[in-house]
Amino acid sequence: MGLTIGYMVFSSNLPALSALSEYQPPLVTRVYNTKGELLAEYADEHRIITPFDEIPKQLISAFLAAEDQQFYEHPGINPARILSAAMANLSAGHTIQGGSTITQQVAKNFLLSSERSYTRKIREAILSYRIEQAFSKEDILYLYLNQIYLGRGSYGVASAAWRYFHKPLRELTLAECAVLAGLPKAPGKYAPHINPEKALQRRNTILQMMRDLGMVDKQAVAQAIAEPMRISPLEETKLANAYADQVYHELVQRFGEETLRRQGLTIIVPYDIEAERAAVSALRSGVLDVERRQFYRYPVSHAKSEWDALLKEWRSAAGNTAPSLGEDNLFPALVESVDKNGDLHVNDGFRKWRLSKPKWNWKTIADYKEEGASEATLATLQQRPRQWIAGDEIRLQGDGKSGVRLTQDPSIESALYAIDLERGTVLARVGGFDYQIGGFDRVRQAQRQPGSAFKPFLYTSALASGYTPASIVMDTPLVFEGQSNDDYWRPENYKDKFAGPVTLRNALEHSRNLASIKVLQNIGVQRFLNDLQAYPFQRNFPAQLALALGATEVTPEELTESYAVLASGGQRWKPVAVQQVQDRTGKTLFRAVAGHRCQICHADPVMAVNESMRPAEQTVDPVNAFLITHMMEGVIEHGTGRRALALKRPAAGKTGTTNKQVDAWFMGYTPQVLTGVWTGRDSPTPMGRSETGAHAALPTWLAAMQAFHQEREKKSFTPPQGIEWVTIDTDSGLLPGPDSKDISLEAFRTGTAPTEETQSTNPTTTEPAKEGGFFGLGL
């Protein structure tokens, strides 16, 4: 009677078993590229659910040997094992052996807390009996082997196989199965990556138990015991830099963070590992090149008594492996002596180097004052002579010839965004020199002035309003007066040079500021603002003539995706960073194909249903898009972007430089790839007189584009219908005359080419630019 009453008391209010029959545990979300390579994982609990019939029999046997040898005989609890464990623990004075069956562990892990009490154990026993009545032994093992925590952040055997051995379950050896089976008892104590000796001993004990129980033969056990225990390092995420942040940002925005990290989604992204690495390398090398033209900042200096500890610290931080000599890799070094020639003898903790006397200009105290350095800092600097001394901590980088050269931690930053125009996908995104995932993504977040990189949109608007590439505009000085004698705006060209009457093409090729302002005056600010709505800028622009010079703020992402409209024949579409998402059952939740390719994607009705499958919108006349592209080819062939000729294939592009060289840009594309690069400081300050878009940004663009095009055929831009080609006098914009010295083949909208012949050296001009007060124009 007492037992009956006790059973009724403890069995009241027990959890229902529905949590087992409706088992839907948190699963790891996995991200793959189109080649099937695993790139990244998102998880609160790293679990890969595996059907029972796909779990190897030898792995099941190993767990039964280690955890519950009478599993198939008992009804959920094993009184003999409980008694044996109790006596062993009593004799030892503390818990050394558990008496729980696998079924009891399922009851505890799924339905109860981990509270240590007799009440909980009794409830656990009752639940275990009920579980055995409601579920088959195979069902119980399925729950147990998929749920159990096995250390290293892994839940379930499939996750553990991947995170310890980097293998799917079917590839595990007998010895590896025994390693995993030894973990439930104490995942920390027997973790092979933490305590390899204890893990090896535990593994061999389980193998011997399997042999004694007749689960495997003696020969197999002997081979398994002789097998070295090799634990794989946790694989680094291959989805890197700002590209990783973009993918995560889009997924969280669409599905929410909880779904992303717990619902076991399978995600396909168009990520090219090699393209991203090439972009990162190009950006880092480009930044370091600019940095070498900056002032050298006073280095930290160490007393000789600190040297040994410092070198030891560097060796430890580098994993006791000498830093690579890649041109984009920085590593610390210590100046141990300076010889009479001024050469530096340095030690990086692994190797010693001799550097020729540095020719770097020191940053002056005046520079520090201008930046607002503290009085204490200034006092220290005044006491320190501007020369190298033993104990200086410096930075080195590879020189590309198995040697090193002096560098310093960059004060310069950069961002790169590349789009595969043929596939309609994001090709590369680099958020900064030493970008950390989750950091400040300069591609998406940096608000910077584009300078002359904004002019192609103005010149496209001019083409739409009736200009041709051969129209003449005046590149002459302008002064806008305000309401008082002290108020005026005098825009300048680079180096304050003016060319007089030039063609529209020439004005763009050479980035002539005054000509651009007059173009904007003639077409009207409001007309230009209306035309800017054709591009994916996420902002309202000021109604100012200074807009002709890019005196506004945009992000590198906005600017690059706006160039994609011009590069795609006037079609507006969003580059794809996430191509497909499936749930844990394989059902497709989301698909995306770039809009300009949707004539292909709509062949599959499933792919045509969501907003990411909409056809591209034709927002710019394709004729004008081709004409501006052809004019930007001239920027590279004859103008400010001539360095890009080294790409050795048809390309269109535009430099951009803001006042005092605060921001430097190069935006450029081939028929296959578009890449935008920004370079500057996070805190907008001048980089130096020479740091124009052509000098500070274009080299990064060129290095990246050379890598992107290695396996691509050479293609030319294809003109749409409505284009005619006419030979003109390059200076006058008219047909060549008898005295024409410089002629070229120009593209025109059909019916707009000049019909007059050049008669003299004085070119025909368009209507003079309208004059107006600077402040009256909202500047």
Side-chain angles (χ1 to χ4, degrees):
M1 176 67 73
L3 288 173
T4 302
I5 294 173
Y7 176 82
M8 293 177 64
V9 169
F10 283 107
S11 63
S12 62
N13 297 321
L14 283 175
L17 302 186
S18 57
L20 305 183
S21 58
E22 300 168 3
Y23 182 53
Q24 290 283 321
L27 300 182
V28 59
T29 287
R30 311 188 92 178
V31 183
Y32 299 87
N33 63 13
T34 51
K35 296 178 182 177
E37 297 173 284
L38 179 63
L39 302 176
E41 296 177 316
Y42 311 130
D44 290 336
E45 295 182 9
H46 192 283
R47 180 184 287 103
I48 305 166
I49 205 79
T50 307
F52 182 75
D53 59 5
E54 294 181 17
I55 300 174
K57 288 189 169 105
Q58 65 180 10
L59 179 63
I60 296 171
S61 297
F63 273 87
L64 292 178
E67 292 294 310
D68 195 347
Q69 295 175 8
Q70 287 82 42
F71 175 73
Y72 281 102
E73 286 76 44
H74 64 64
I77 57 173
N78 189 339
R81 186 178 180 191
I82 293 173
L83 180 60
S84 174
M87 293 182 66
N89 295 339
L90 184 63
S91 175
H94 60 277
T95 301
I96 61 170
Q97 184 177 327
S100 296
T101 64
I102 283 177
T103 312
Q104 285 176 275
Q105 293 181 55
V106 169
K108 181 184 73 172
N109 291 336
F110 282 87
L111 304 172
L112 298 171
S113 70
S114 297
E115 173 195 2
R116 290 178 175 270
S117 69
Y118 288 111
T119 300
R120 199 268 295 165
K121 291 296 290 185
I122 293 171
R123 287 161 61 84
E124 179 186 290
I126 296 171
L127 279 171
S128 297
Y129 179 77
R130 289 184 177 180
I131 290 170
E132 291 274 352
Q133 303 306 304
F135 296 91
S136 69
K137 291 287 187 179
E138 287 72 20
D139 289 337
I140 295 168
L141 280 173
Y142 163 77
L143 295 168
Y144 173 75
L145 293 173
N146 277 293
Q147 182 70 14
I148 190 168
Y149 180 66
L150 295 172
R152 217 180 199 188
S154 57
Y155 292 79
V157 291
S159 171
W162 185 258
R163 291 177 73 80
Y164 284 109
F165 304 112
H166 205 62
K167 290 181 177 181
L169 286 177
R170 65 180 179 274
E171 295 180 10
L172 290 179
T173 66
L174 176 59
E176 290 165 345
C177 290
V179 170
L180 299 186
L183 291 169
K185 184 176 181 181
K189 180 179 179 181
Y190 296 113
H193 62 297
I194 298 173
N195 296 309
E197 291 183 4
K198 288 185 178 179
L200 186 64
Q201 184 179 18
R202 174 75 172 154
R203 179 199 76 172
N204 292 344
T205 298
I206 292 172
L207 288 169
Q208 291 162 357
M209 293 166 68
M210 294 176 72
R211 178 195 61 201
D212 295 343
L213 292 167
M215 294 176 170
V216 289
D217 60 46
K218 293 180 181 180
Q219 185 179 357
V221 169
Q223 290 176 347
I225 289 176
E227 181 181 307
M229 188 173 66
R230 296 187 179 93
I231 304 303
S232 299
L234 285 176
E235 193 173 39
E236 291 185 9
T237 298
K238 294 177 181 176
L239 184 62
N241 219 282
Y243 203 126
D245 277 346
Q246 175 66 15
V247 169
Y248 193 80
H249 175 77
E250 286 191 22
L251 291 169
V252 168
Q253 200 170 43
R254 182 170 293 277
F255 298 103
E257 192 163 16
E258 183 173 346
T259 296
L260 180 61
R261 300 185 65 85
R262 297 176 66 86
Q263 289 305 313
L265 306 178
T266 298
I267 297 159
I268 308 298
V269 299
Y271 185 72
D272 185 322
I273 296 171
E274 294 306 316
E276 183 71 17
R277 286 175 180 166
V280 170
S281 179
L283 182 141
R284 288 175 63 89
S285 294
V287 165
L288 291 174
D289 284 344
V290 177
E291 190 64 35
R292 278 197 296 276
R293 299 190 289 269
Q294 306 300 305
F295 289 119
Y296 204 91
R297 301 182 293 280
Y298 279 67
V300 174
S301 194
H302 300 275
K304 194 166 186 177
S305 59
E306 302 171 357
W307 290 8
D308 288 342
L310 185 65
L311 295 172
K312 182 179 179 181
E313 179 185 328
W314 290 345
R315 286 192 292 268
S316 177
N320 292 314
T321 302
S324 75
L325 298 182
E327 290 186 76
D328 63 343
N329 186 43
L330 268 66
F331 51 95
L334 182 71
V335 177
E336 293 186 318
S337 65
V338 183
D339 65 26
K340 62 181 180 180
N341 297 319
D343 294 350
L344 309 184
H345 298 261
V346 306
N347 186 342
D348 66 15
F350 298 91
R351 300 154 299 201
K352 294 192 176 185
W353 307 93
R354 179 176 179 171
L355 304 181
S356 297
K357 181 180 179 180
K359 298 179 181 178
W360 217 313
N361 291 324
W362 288 91
K363 190 172 183 179
T364 66
I365 292 177
D367 296 318
Y368 281 102
K369 282 183 178 179
E370 189 175 336
E371 292 176 1
S374 67
E375 291 297 328
T377 299
L378 293 173
T380 301
L381 295 174
Q382 285 171 343
Q383 295 173 1
R384 167 75 185 277
R386 290 183 295 156
Q387 61 185 21
W388 295 100
I389 61 174
D392 280 343
E393 180 182 334
I394 62 173
R395 295 291 181 269
L396 300 177
Q397 69 176 117
D399 63 2
K401 303 174 184 177
S402 300
V404 295
R405 58 188 171 195
L406 178 68
T407 188
Q408 63 180 342
D409 290 325
S411 62
I412 302 297
E413 272 297 349
S414 191
L416 181 151
Y417 182 25
I419 299 168
D420 188 317
L421 296 170
E422 293 181 313
R423 297 174 63 203
T425 56
V426 175
L427 182 59
R429 287 177 68 110
V430 188
F433 177 82
D434 194 15
Y435 186 77
Q436 302 297 315
I437 292 177
F440 179 58
D441 177 5
R442 293 169 184 83
V443 174
R444 181 167 54 90
Q445 296 173 293
Q447 306 278 344
R448 308 300 297 221
Q449 290 197 4
S452 295
F454 204 68
K455 289 176 181 174
F457 308 112
L458 169 63
Y459 283 63
T460 303
S461 189
L463 293 169
S465 66
Y467 280 76
T468 75
S471 295
I472 296 297
V473 293
M474 298 302 297
D475 183 50
T476 52
L478 273 175
V479 176
F480 296 92
E481 295 183 358
Q483 296 179 359
S484 71
N485 292 335
D486 294 331
D487 294 335
Y488 67 92
W489 177 47
R490 182 180 179 274
E492 298 178 353
N493 282 336
Y494 184 59
K495 295 186 177 179
D496 210 22
K497 293 181 179 180
F498 304 94
V502 295
T503 61
L504 192 71
R505 167 183 286 281
N506 180 285
L508 182 65
E509 288 179 351
H510 298 280
S511 205
R512 304 190 188 283
N513 288 342
L514 276 299
S516 300
I517 291 171
K518 290 177 180 178
V519 167
L520 181 53
Q521 279 185 304
N522 286 336
I523 66 173
V525 174
Q526 192 56 52
R527 164 70 187 262
F528 183 39
L529 291 175
N530 291 340
D531 288 346
L532 283 174
Q533 295 177 22
Y535 309 97
F537 292 111
Q538 304 297 315
R539 65 197 62 239
N540 294 318
F541 293 105
Q544 300 177 355
L545 284 180
L547 201 58
L549 310 184
T552 184
E553 289 186 340
V554 297
T555 66
E557 180 179 69
E558 288 176 319
L559 192 62
T560 306
E561 292 185 2
S562 295
Y563 266 76
V565 175
L566 303 178
S568 302
Q571 293 186 324
R572 177 173 170 173
W573 49 277
K574 180 70 177 176
V576 172
V578 177
Q579 289 174 306
Q580 182 168 304
V581 180
Q582 294 177 318
D583 67 13
R584 63 173 70 197
T585 69
K587 177 184 176 183
T588 296
L589 304 177
F590 170 81
R591 285 184 184 173
V593 172
H596 71 304
R597 303 180 74 245
C598 272
Q599 63 270 25
I600 300 170
C601 77
H602 287 314
D604 181 347
V606 176
M607 297 177 72
V609 296
N610 72 60
E611 68 276 14
S612 296
M613 314 304 291
R614 291 176 182 169
E617 183 183 1
Q618 190 77 45
T619 58
V620 173
D621 187 307
V623 169
N624 292 334
F626 176 79
L627 291 176
I628 197 67
T629 294
H630 189 50
M631 289 167 66
M632 282 193 282
E633 284 188 88
V635 171
I636 291 175
E637 291 167 1
H638 315 110
T640 58
R642 281 188 295 273
R643 288 171 182 259
L645 286 171
L647 188 60
K648 297 181 180 178
R649 60 176 62 220
K654 185 68 188 77
T655 54
T657 311
T658 61
N659 284 344
K660 298 182 179 180
Q661 292 71 46
V662 170
D663 299 284
W665 298 79
F666 191 76
M667 313 296 297
Y669 53 92
T670 66
Q672 296 133 310
V673 179
L674 160 66
T675 298
V677 175
W678 163 83
T679 302
R681 289 192 174 94
D682 285 337
S683 176
T685 52
M687 293 183 288
R689 182 67 174 166
S690 66
E691 305 305 340
T692 62
H695 213 68
L698 198 159
T700 296
W701 179 91
L702 178 60
M705 289 289 274
Q706 285 172 331
F708 298 156
H709 286 85
Q710 280 185 357
E711 303 298 326
R712 299 177 191 264
E713 63 176 305
K714 188 179 293 187
K715 290 186 177 181
S716 298
F717 295 101
T718 304
Q721 289 186 343
I723 293 289
E724 63 176 335
W725 298 87
V726 177
T727 300
I728 65 167
D729 181 299
T730 303
D731 294 325
S732 70
L734 301 176
L735 299 176
D739 298 328
S740 294
K741 296 179 181 178
D742 189 3
I743 62 174
S744 60
L745 187 65
E746 185 60 87
F748 293 88
R749 178 186 293 275
T750 301
T752 65
T755 57
E756 297 180 23
E757 186 177 287
T758 302
Q759 299 295 327
S760 68
T761 57
N762 295 318
T764 304
T765 62
T766 57
E767 180 183 350
K770 300 174 184 176
E771 298 296 336
F774 166 45
F775 292 94
L777 289 166
L779 291 164

